[in-house]
């Protein structure tokens, strides 16, 4: 459990001459003030790593996207689902029979909409280039395919055991990617088919107080959150295989460069977590994150995960000055065009 006022506690540690990790505390403060991932890495790469330095790492990333929480769904179709689900949770009899959106949104977002709103007929106005249905790279591990305009799972449904393990692992957010990695270990014991099945079939949330509460405001968030947990589990899949030729690495890269989807940044988040843990992975992971961000920026249309990809770039070990410039430009552009993006993705009840 992190202190309520993380910044005040870090300042206290950094100023305490008796605290053995004052330098790490100072770097944690600097990361929170400046956002340079080199400061975060300095905390992690402390010459005397221990439980305290892991706590400092978590404090540095407290309330930061991806380091402590998964970004909320940015899609118009999810805003609709959240409104419908929240009103139903409060006892309203909301009937939604049809919906129209100006352009296609990610398969996972569309599936999350149906999980919350039910079997609603959805009309999609366009599939602007680059077509969201076409993967950036063809791969072996593809959880989605399209039946015309509709996304459908390309893999079998997960086993009941897989859903049970997911509920046990993913009920709460992670304090940091390092602790999340450890917490996800039981998922790595599942077959790869089960992990891919969880990503595409999106089972519902656990029946706990936390998710009953969120059902009253943002019921789609569970579906956004579960996929990064599954991808963290993928990092534990067949650990005896060397990383460079492993099934776990191949699956995560296929997901990252498959169809534009929530599974894209979920897989990249897992790769970034691997880079935090293993310095030898860092340059390769940085190239992957930058490559996927560049592809999103180059698209002459709205990419709903672009902001999330930019946030991931900024916390990727080895992030360079040019990477930061590109990421910050993407975030600034998203801030300027937020209202326009909402207008471009209208909806209607019928």
């Amino acid at each position: 459990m992190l202190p309520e006022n993380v910044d005040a506690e870090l300042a206290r540690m950094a100023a305490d001459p008796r605290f053995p990790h004052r330098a790490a505390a100072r770097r944690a403060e600097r990361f929170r003030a400046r956002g340079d991932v080199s400061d975060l890495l300095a905390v992690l790469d402390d010459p005397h790593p221990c439980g305290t330095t892991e706590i400092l790492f978590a404090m540095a990333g407290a309330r930061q996207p991806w380091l402590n929480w998964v970004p909320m769904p940015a899609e118009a179709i999810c805003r609709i689902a959240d409104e419908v689900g929240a009103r139903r949770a409060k006892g309203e009899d909301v009937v939604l029979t049809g919906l129209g959106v100006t352009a296609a949104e990610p398969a996972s977002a569309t599936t999350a909409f149906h999980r919350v709103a039910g079997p609603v007929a959805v009309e999609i106005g366009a599939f602007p280039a680059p077509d969201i249905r076409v993967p950036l790279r063809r791969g072996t591990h593809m959880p989605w395919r399209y039946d015309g305009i509709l996304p459908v799972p390309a893999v079998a449904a997960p086993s009941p055991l897989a859903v049970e393990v997911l509920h046990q692992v993913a009920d709460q957010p992670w304090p940091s990617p390092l602790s999340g990695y450890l917490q996800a270990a039981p998922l790595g014991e599942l077959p790869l088919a089960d992990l891919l099945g969880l990503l595409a079939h999106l089972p519902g949330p656990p029946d706990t107080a936390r998710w009953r509460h969120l059902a009253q405001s943002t019921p789609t968030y569970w579906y956004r959150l579960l996929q990064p947990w599954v991808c963290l589990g993928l990092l534990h899949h067949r650990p005896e295989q060397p990383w460079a030729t492993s099934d776990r690495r191949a699956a995560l890269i296929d997901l990252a460069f498959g169809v534009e989807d929530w599974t894209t940044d979920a897989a990249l988040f897992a790769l970034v977590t691997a880079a935090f843990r293993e310095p030898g992975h860092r340059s390769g992971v940085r190239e992957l994150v930058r490559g996927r961000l560049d592809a999103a920026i180059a698209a002459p249309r709205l990419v709903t995960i672009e902001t999330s990809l930019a946030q991931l770039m900024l916390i990727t070990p080895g992030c360079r000055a040019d990477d930061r410039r590109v990421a910050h430009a993407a975030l600034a552009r998203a801030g300027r065009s937020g209202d326009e993006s909402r207008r471009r993705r209208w909806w209607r009840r019928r």
Side-chain angles (χ1 to χ4, degrees), residues 102-319:
T102 57
E105 295 188 314
S108 293
T110 302
T111 302
F113 165 82
H114 287 296
R115 293 286 185 270
V116 173
V120 179
V122 177
E123 295 180 4
I124 299 172
F127 284 85
D131 194 324
I132 199 171
R133 296 168 292 185
V134 179
L136 284 186
R137 302 178 189 173
R138 295 289 177 181
T140 303
H141 309 91
M142 297 282 110
W144 296 109
R145 64 178 179 84
Y146 279 81
D147 183 6
I149 66 171
L150 299 176
V152 294
V155 293
S159 67
L161 174 62
V163 176
E164 180 182 349
V165 174
L166 175 68
H167 284 172
Q168 292 169 353
V169 166
D171 182 37
Q172 299 290 330
W174 48 76
S176 81
L178 301 181
S179 59
Y181 168 83
L182 296 175
Q183 191 173 332
L187 286 165
E189 298 175 9
L190 297 170
L192 182 58
D194 265 345
L195 296 174
L196 296 175
L198 290 171
L199 292 174
H201 289 268
L202 295 179
D207 185 19
T208 62
R210 171 182 173 80
W211 293 106
R212 287 193 295 270
H213 174 73
L214 287 175
Q216 300 177 38
S217 59
T218 51
T220 60
Y221 188 58
W222 160 256
Y223 303 102
R224 181 69 164 120
L225 176 66
L226 79 83
Q227 292 177 325
W229 274 117
V230 173
C231 289
L232 287 177
L234 266 168
L235 290 176
H236 295 272
H237 179 71
R238 299 201 63 183
E240 77 281 359
Q241 293 181 332
W243 171 252
T245 56
S246 65
D247 291 344
R248 60 191 185 280
R249 179 179 178 272
L252 289 168
I253 292 176
D254 282 351
L255 293 168
F257 288 87
V259 297
E260 182 185 309
D261 187 54
W262 292 350
T263 53
T264 301
D265 55 9
L268 288 171
F269 166 70
L271 289 165
V272 168
T273 300
F276 276 123
R277 290 177 46 81
E278 298 291 342
H281 300 345
R282 291 175 183 173
S283 62
V285 168
R286 188 211 68 80
E287 291 176 4
L288 292 169
V289 177
R290 177 62 189 270
R292 192 60 189 83
L293 175 60
D294 284 345
I297 291 171
R301 59 164 173 80
L302 178 65
V303 176
T304 60
I305 61 169
E306 182 179 327
T307 293
S308 173
L309 292 170
Q311 291 167 333
L312 272 173
M313 184 79 260
L314 292 173
I315 64 162
T316 297
C319 178

Side-chain angles (χ1 to χ4, degrees), residues 320-343:
R320 304 181 313 209
D322 60 306
D323 300 329
R324 289 194 295 273
R325 285 193 296 271
V326 168
H328 283 303
L331 293 173
R333 183 170 59 253
R336 291 192 301 269
S337 62
D339 290 340
E340 177 187 351
S341 298
R342 283 189 284 274
R343 287 197 298 271

Side-chain angles (χ1 to χ4, degrees), residues 54-72:
E54 291 189 9
I55 292 172
L56 288 170
F57 182 88
M59 291 173 70
R63 293 181 287 278
Q64 302 292 319
W66 288 113
L67 291 172
N68 187 214
W69 58 277
V70 177
M72 297 293 293

